Amino acid sequence: MNIALIIITVLALVCICLVFLYIRKVKAMNIIIRGVDLIKEQDFGSRLLPVGQSDADKIISLFNRMISQLKEEKLKLKEQDYLLNRLIENSPMGVVILDFDERISLANGVAAEFLGLQEIVGKIIFEKEFISHWSCIPFCSGY
């Protein structure tokens, strides 16, 4: 009977240890999954809290630093984009910006007025219907 009691006690302790280890690992994994969700949602204001495990806490610390850097860079880009858009819109010269498919991605009012079109964003610059509006422009007559 003593041996059976010892075996049951050892098995119970092993089960308790396994449950404890499982909970710690699951908690760390859930925090990492939460971090991935924050990135997907582009929530750069949230931070993850340490879980008390050195390896997981190192990853959490790295994640928090990366999120802070992303937030700062995103803010800088927004500021630069805002300034560039204000400069383009208020320029006394016509400004047209093309994407890689020669489609107009941005144009200011002066450019639209010069080209005689109200809506030019999204148009492909060398399409026949678009070039017909340019017939009065000497540098485009060869197209």
Side-chain angles (χ1 to χ4, degrees):
M1 283 274 195
N2 266 344
I3 294 177
L5 187 58
I6 293 173
I7 292 174
I8 291 174
T9 305
V10 169
L11 286 176
L13 289 174
V14 168
C15 287
I16 290 172
C17 289
L18 287 174
V19 168
F20 177 74
L21 290 173
Y22 176 77
I23 290 171
R24 285 189 64 173
K25 295 302 175 187
V26 167
K27 184 177 180 182
M29 286 302 297
N30 285 338
I31 288 182
I32 292 171
I33 290 169
R34 176 66 183 135
V36 170
D37 291 341
L38 290 174
I39 291 173
K40 284 180 184 176
E41 296 167 6
Q42 295 190 2
D43 181 0
F44 301 124
S46 298
R47 300 291 177 267
L48 299 178
L49 297 174
V51 294
Q53 298 176 21
S54 63
D55 291 340
D57 287 347
K58 287 177 187 176
I59 293 171
I60 289 169
S61 175
L62 177 63
F63 174 85
N64 288 339
R65 274 186 277 140
M66 288 179 9
I67 288 292
S68 294
Q69 289 174 344
L70 280 172
K71 183 178 179 181
E72 289 174 20
E73 289 177 20
K74 188 174 181 180
L75 181 61
K76 284 180 188 177
L77 284 174
K78 275 186 175 182
E79 290 171 350
Q80 290 173 351
D81 187 52
Y82 177 79
L83 178 63
L84 179 62
N85 283 334
R86 296 292 67 85
L87 288 171
I88 289 171
E89 191 56 43
N90 295 313
S91 173
M93 297 174 56
V95 178
V96 175
I97 297 177
L98 305 175
D99 63 14
F100 292 109
D101 297 324
E102 297 177 346
R103 195 174 299 275
I104 297 174
S105 62
L106 182 66
N108 65 0
V110 176
E113 185 178 326
F114 179 74
L115 296 171
L117 299 168
Q118 289 190 354
E119 286 295 323
I120 62 174
V121 173
K123 294 191 183 282
I124 296 176
I125 196 145
F126 294 115
E127 283 183 340
K128 288 184 181 183
E129 68 178 63
F130 190 73
I131 293 175
S132 67
H133 292 285
W134 291 15
S135 59
C136 63
I137 304 172
F139 65 85
C140 292
S141 59
Y143 288 103

